[in-house]
Amino acid sequence: MKTKVSLTINAKRYDIDVEDDFARFLTQQMKQDFAFEGNNDLKLLLQAYVRKSFALYEQEKQINLLIDRLENLQ
């Protein structure tokens, strides 16, 4: 089932339909990065994007380290 998640950026409201399980996770993450009930400017959006990109970068590095370790075990 789909759930609508909304965020206001530069006084414009954006509604996104996502699956229920992901909606709970996304809402929690957005509350950490944005004024979830208020307006957000583009600078805040860019900062959140950079933070999430860095987290993804770090996760990918860790995954690659784990893969290397597993390959060296063989």
Side-chain angles (χ1 to χ4, degrees), residues 17-61:
D17 291 325
V18 294
E19 294 296 324
D20 287 340
D21 288 344
F22 182 59
R24 288 187 285 278
F25 174 81
L26 182 61
T27 299
Q28 190 66 27
Q29 294 298 308
M30 290 172 82
K31 285 180 179 179
Q32 293 175 12
D33 291 327
F34 301 106
F36 195 68
E37 301 297 328
N39 188 40
N40 298 276
D41 63 10
L42 290 176
K43 182 179 178 182
L44 191 61
L45 179 64
L46 180 59
Q47 289 170 338
Y49 175 78
V50 170
R51 276 193 305 274
K52 296 302 180 185
S53 293
F54 182 73
L56 182 61
Y57 166 77
E58 289 292 319
Q59 287 175 349
E60 191 167 319
K61 277 181 30 179

